[in-house]
Every structure is written in C-alpha cells, then in structure tokens.
Amino acid sequence: MEEQSIRVELSQSKKEKPKAVELVFGRIFTDHMFVMDYTEGIGWHNASIVPYQPITLDPAAMIFHYGQSVFEGLKAFRTKSGSVQLFRPEKNMERMNRSNERLVIPPIDEAFLVKAIKKLVEIDQEWVPDAEGTSLYIRPFIISTEPFLGVAPAHQYKFIVIMSPVGSYYKEGINPVKIAVENKYVRAVKGGTGEAKTGGNYAASLKAQEIVEKEGYSQVLWLDGVERKYIEEVGSMNVFFKVNGEIITPALNGSILPGITRDSVIHLLKHWGLPVTERRISMEEMYDAYEKGELEEAFGSGTAAVISPIGELYWEGKHIVINECKTGELSKKVYDTITGIQYGKIEDPFNWTVKVCETSKVK
Ligand SMILES: *Cc1c(COP(=O)(O)O)cnc(C)c1O
C-alpha cells in the first residue's frame, strides 16, 4: 500500500502561549491539529495538518449515540539542549489499533501515524514548554461520524490529533495520594471494553470518582467486576505493590488497560534485577501483607503522573497507611528514571525516546 502524503495548511495567526505557571491540564490547545477521514471503500484518506478549529458533525453522527470511539494519550518533552522528543509513540499507535479492533473501528497505519504526530509536533514545536516537569500532551482519537441511528459499526470515521501544553503534575514534588477501594461500582469486566482505551470506560467511572472525592480521597481503586475481590487499577492508572521486596502488579486479564507506563516500569524493574510478578492480587492479600508489616510501597502508573505513590488505602472501614504516607524509595527511583529518560537527563538504554526536532526555539 502506498503511503499517504500529509497536506499542510498553516495557521495565519498564532495564539498566545500560556506562561509555565498558568499551565493546567487540557484547557489550552496548540495552533494546529491533524485530521484524517475514513470512508468505507476508500479507506483512510485526506491526511492533513490544519489550523486548530471546531469540527462540524451531523447530529445523527453515530459517535453521539452509541459511543463508538477510541483515544490515546502521550507526551512530547523538551530536553535541556532544547530538542523535542516523544516517549514510545509506536506503543500508543499499536494500542490504538487493539482498541480499534475491539470497537470495530478500521485499523490505522501505525508507522504513518507516528510520522504524522512527529510532523504535527514539529510544526507546533514552540508549544512544547521548557519549565521543569512541563510537557506537551498529545491526544489522538477516532470518532464514528456516519449520520445513522441504527446500531451497527459506522462506515465513516474521523481520526484527529490535538495537543495541549501541560504543567508539572507535581507542583510541590512527588506526593502520595489517598485512595478509596470501590466496592459498589465497577469500571470494567472481562469480555467488556476495559482493555480498550474508549470513552465509555471513563463515563462509567465518573460516579464512583465523584463520591470518593467528596469523602476526601483523590481516586478509587477498582476491583474486579465479578467477585469484587481482585485489584485491577487505580483511577485511570495501573497499580503496583511492593510486598516484602517483591513488586507485584495485576496481570492483564482482559479488563485492565495495558498501560505503556506499566510496561516501562516492569521493564525497568527487570533491568535492575528486582523480582517483579504479574498475577492476580486480592485486596484481602494486600491487607494481610499490611498487617504483617510487609506492604512496603504502592503506586499508580500512567502517562499523566508517570508514578503516583499511594499513601493510604481505605477499604471496608480500615485505613491502610503505606510507608507512613511518604513516597517510597522505589517509587521515587522509578519516577526519576522514567522522567529522566523522557527529558533526556539520563541515558535511554531501551531506545524509548523518539527525536522530533533538534532546534531550541521556545518562545
Ligand atoms: C491510559 C490508561 C492507563 C495508563 O496507560 P499509559 O499508557 O501508561 O498512560 C491506565 N488505565 C486506564 C484505564 C487508562 O485509560
């Protein structure tokens, strides 16, 4: 198959860029976006980079009714020398195709889309902030656009990439969070869409999140949807526990989202020669480990925070305080290493970073 070319239409005016201190997550968008259409019989076509702008859809567009959509999330980082780089972008496109498969959305050309993302970031490179801990968040997504109210896979789609400069997740240094274990609501079940990155999973998670926030917890820990016993994820992050020197994370069982940060953490731990196990973990087992004084650390992993240490788990009336609610040594080491690689501060022995451009234009 011949590779498409990307039409580029540059914006006539440039928006004002926010100051580093004003950066919040996902509110401000760069000057350009990438768009591409799918029509059955033609395939993906019309790949273009155009000025950031609203899109017009028919009110009958299937995305509004049955939620056939997928998304991704990755970041571009500015290194000390001023160059811009991505972190494992090919993994995001690979995962997007797995989500596509589950949602019956036509597959994308992964290598072509990594190129398209690189080109978009290069065009908007001035939007990659340079203050400590800041980055450019990249959001590729696909929506079904065909105007039709029948329940069926659509014949028309749009693939879009938008980008937003984001501030440091940790304003005052990496900080442990309090988590409530969710016993009533579930995020996903085996056979459902839990392992696909699709909006519906998020819609399903809002209720539980709203309740625990009112009670002073920052996220929920999701249990399996059948027995409500086994640990799955924490908020929209994967989760790790250090018990008696061993690092354990729930095995990918069909309802857990296969995080790229999760994969990177496992890779690093193995590289360091630490024992890391992917298996089923029950909340009861973690509570027993805590009672015996063996639960040493716990943390979430995801693109937004990279590592989010868990200081307390609230479960069935019990407050499980981990590592005196302080960031553990291992959590800190994993965080420093992954962010070190992302920002080009330390060597990248696994070739995880992908250079976008060398220039040091910032302002
Ligand atoms: C995106 C996501 C993650 C984390 O994936 P990363 O690739 O590490 O960012 C974990 N859980 C859920 C539910 C997610 O949507």
Side-chain angles (χ1 to χ4, degrees):
M1 200 172 71
E2 200 183 318
E3 189 169 284
Q4 297 185 58
S5 58
I6 302 172
R7 182 179 71 86
V8 178
E9 179 196 334
L10 292 179
S11 173
Q12 291 306 304
S13 60
K14 284 185 175 174
K15 292 186 260 189
E16 201 181 320
K17 295 175 188 66
K19 295 191 186 72
V21 289
E22 297 164 355
L23 290 175
V24 286
F25 182 82
R27 290 253 179 227
I28 295 169
F29 300 95
T30 66
D31 289 320
H32 297 89
M33 63 190 209
F34 173 85
V35 283
M36 178 170 84
D37 296 311
Y38 179 89
T39 309
E40 197 163 277
I42 301 175
W44 288 107
H45 63 288
N46 270 349
S48 346
I49 290 172
V50 296
Y52 187 95
Q53 60 192 281
I55 54 172
T56 304
L57 291 177
D58 193 293
M62 291 169 86
I63 177 60
F64 296 134
H65 306 279
Y66 310 121
Q68 195 193 6
S69 70
V70 297
F71 70 95
E72 271 302 326
L74 68 159
K75 285 173 170 177
F77 304 89
R78 190 172 293 279
T79 67
K80 261 226 157 62
S81 69
S83 64
V84 172
Q85 59 190 26
L86 302 170
F87 185 72
R88 312 188 76 185
E90 69 290 347
K91 288 277 165 202
N92 292 90
M93 293 302 102
E94 214 180 282
R95 181 170 67 191
M96 196 173 211
N97 259 344
R98 275 183 275 133
S99 300
N100 283 341
E101 212 271 322
R102 180 64 183 82
L103 275 291
V104 201
I105 292 173
I108 51 165
D109 178 341
E110 295 166 20
F112 170 69
L113 284 156
V114 170
K115 275 192 212 162
I117 289 171
K118 282 169 76 175
K119 189 159 183 168
L120 180 65
V121 173
E122 191 176 1
I123 287 174
D124 277 343
Q125 59 179 274
E126 292 175 25
W127 284 87
V128 185
D130 63 352
E132 180 76 24
T134 62
S135 57
L136 183 68
Y137 184 78
I138 305 167
R139 166 55 58 87
F141 63 103
I142 300 175
I143 52 171
S144 47
T145 53
E146 183 184 1
F148 179 48
L149 295 185
V151 178
H155 301 98
Q156 291 162 28
Y157 299 86
K158 244 184 207 316
F159 178 110
I160 304 178
V161 185
I162 55 175
M163 308 196 292
S164 171
V166 295
S168 175
Y169 195 87
Y170 296 107
K171 299 273 182 309
E172 288 128 24
I174 173 170
N175 240 331
V177 290
K178 285 169 69 176
I179 302 290
V181 180
E182 180 58 49
N183 289 311
K184 181 173 178 192
Y185 297 103
V186 298
R187 189 192 82 90
V189 289
K190 254 182 263 312
T193 55
E195 58 183 0
K197 223 167 163 69
T198 183
N201 293 339
Y202 279 72
S205 75
L206 297 176
K207 187 73 190 165
Q209 177 67 24
E210 183 188 60
I211 294 168
V212 301
E213 264 176 32
K214 283 191 190 131
E215 290 164 356
Y217 297 92
S218 64
Q219 308 236 302
V220 303
L221 184 114
W222 298 107
L223 298 178
D224 76 278
V226 179
E227 295 180 72
R228 314 279 172 99
K229 270 164 79 174
Y230 301 100
I231 295 170
E232 300 230 309
E233 299 198 48
V234 54
S236 49
M237 289 183 287
N238 296 112
V239 66
F240 288 81
F241 298 90
K242 181 165 171 255
V243 178
N244 212 6
E246 181 191 12
I247 302 105
I248 325 166
T249 190
L252 299 176
N253 61 353
S255 52
I256 291 173
L257 195 288
I260 294 159
T261 317
R262 176 188 182 277
D263 181 74
S264 307
V265 172
I266 292 172
H267 222 86
L268 263 185
L269 296 173
K270 286 186 177 162
H271 180 71
W272 290 335
L274 297 174
V276 47
T277 316
E278 297 174 64
R279 63 168 170 85
R280 206 159 72 155
I281 317 164
S282 71
M283 204 42 229
E284 214 162 271
E285 180 191 342
M286 279 309 106
Y287 186 70
D288 283 348
Y290 162 74
E291 291 244 278
K292 285 193 242 159
E294 293 180 348
L295 178 53
E296 296 160 345
E297 294 186 37
F299 60 86
S301 74
T303 295
V306 183
I307 295 298
S308 186
I310 300 171
E312 182 186 323
L313 280 175
Y314 179 70
W315 179 59
E316 295 184 348
K318 297 182 273 262
H319 294 272
I320 305 170
V321 177
I322 305 165
N323 195 39
E324 300 169 352
C325 206
K326 289 187 304 219
T327 299
E329 225 171 274
L330 182 72
S331 311
K332 181 79 168 68
K333 187 177 172 189
V334 172
Y335 176 80
D336 287 343
T337 307
I338 294 182
T339 56
I341 291 172
Q342 290 172 333
Y343 288 94
K345 289 183 189 167
I346 61 174
E347 216 195 313
D348 172 14
F350 316 111
N351 280 321
W352 280 342
T353 56
V354 173
K355 193 74 89 208
V356 172
C357 51
E358 291 287 354
T359 50
S360 52
K361 268 197 300 179
V362 157
K363 296 281 141 53

